[in-house]
Amino acid sequence: NRTFGVLSGGGFGQTGDGVLSFSNGASLNNAGTVEISSPFTSWLNSGAAGSIVNTGIFKKTTSTDQLQIGPAFDNNGGSLEIHKGDISIDGTFTQTAAGTLKLLFAGTVPGLEFGRLSVSSTPTLDGTIHIFLDGAYEPVGGNEFRVLFVPDGSHTGDFSTYTYPSLTPPRAFSSAWDANGLLLTVSGSADLTITKTGPPTVLESGAITYTLTVNNADPDQANSVEVTDTLPAGHTGISA
């Protein structure tokens, strides 16, 4: 088996698209910096499955396309950073207690505006997930981010530390696992007002049309809002 190593302080970059083959169980041991900035890139197994052990920095930047990784990926005390696009791992994914998954948010569109990790099998998790924001961007209440996609949502362990950027109060991040993996949601505070208008007069036994208007003065979404309008005595509802 062949092993390719990137030493501490060293670097390896891929700027052109194409396929990097891990032949017959080949491995990459990264203690330096590996940066992938090219679109349409695949790191695939050829023959026996290969492996990647990351104790340094492994990052995907610039391109909003997907980086497909066939070998097993062990984030063993290193930092896996996705600034743009999606990293899809076909082999197993493991992150140890000293490892960090770092994702950049610049909007709510997966891959295009925020980095995402997809795995094809149950990941083994520990360590830190670290979210950071691009420039002045700030998510608002109601925004959702599918940061880790797992086909059936299964996972062994969890990130022991969730590190989020500061948001304008009362906005805050929360996390939840579901059947598709890990979803981050931003809560906020809406400023709702409601007005009711109707005709000043109406003929006896005639129909009255009321209009209810709800406004939200804040940029944060208001979810699951219900409005109840109680009719005065002697009135019968026709439709709403």
Side-chain angles (χ1 to χ4, degrees):
N1 297 344
R2 294 182 175 88
T3 299
F4 174 67
V6 180
L7 301 178
S8 178
F12 172 81
Q14 183 174 356
T15 58
D17 56 351
V19 175
L20 180 65
S21 294
F22 284 67
S23 299
N24 300 318
S27 61
L28 166 64
N29 293 333
N30 174 46
T33 299
V34 173
E35 180 173 354
I36 311 301
S37 59
S38 57
F40 310 115
T41 303
S42 298
W43 289 22
L44 302 178
N45 291 314
S46 177
S51 63
I52 298 172
V53 178
N54 180 48
T55 58
I57 299 173
F58 189 104
K59 60 184 177 180
K60 184 181 185 304
T61 61
T62 309
S63 171
T64 58
D65 296 294
Q66 182 183 85
L67 167 61
Q68 182 182 3
I69 296 179
F73 196 107
D74 182 7
N75 195 27
N76 188 5
S79 179
L80 173 59
E81 303 181 8
I82 309 176
H83 297 200
K84 296 283 188 180
D86 182 283
I87 291 181
S88 178
I89 298 177
D90 296 332
T92 58
F93 176 73
T94 301
Q95 179 166 294
T96 63
T100 298
L101 173 62
K102 193 172 184 180
L103 305 173
L104 176 66
F105 285 8
T108 59
V109 182
L112 183 64
E113 295 180 325
F114 72 90
R116 183 175 73 167
L117 177 64
S118 300
V119 297
S120 62
S121 60
T122 301
T124 299
L125 303 173
D126 202 341
T128 299
I129 180 170
H130 180 185
I131 307 302
F132 65 113
L133 302 179
D134 186 11
Y137 170 71
E138 179 176 344
V140 299
N143 287 168
E144 295 182 336
F145 304 88
R146 176 70 61 187
V147 293
L148 176 53
F149 177 77
V150 186
D152 59 0
S154 63
H155 56 101
T156 299
D158 196 355
F159 300 107
S160 58
T161 302
Y162 284 71
T163 301
Y164 302 121
S166 297
L167 302 179
T168 303
R171 294 173 185 159
F173 280 99
S174 62
S175 63
W177 288 91
D178 60 21
N180 293 310
L182 179 60
L183 182 70
L184 302 186
T185 302
V186 177
S187 60
S189 177
D191 182 9
L192 300 180
T193 59
I194 185 169
T195 57
K196 180 179 180 179
T197 59
T201 61
V202 66
L203 296 175
E204 184 177 356
S205 300
I208 306 173
T209 300
Y210 294 110
T211 301
L212 300 176
T213 303
V214 179
N215 289 301
N216 182 7
D218 277 354
D220 293 343
Q221 298 178 23
N223 299 318
S224 303
V225 176
E226 295 184 2
V227 175
T228 301
D229 183 36
T230 303
L231 296 176
H235 290 65
T236 301
I238 299 175
S239 63

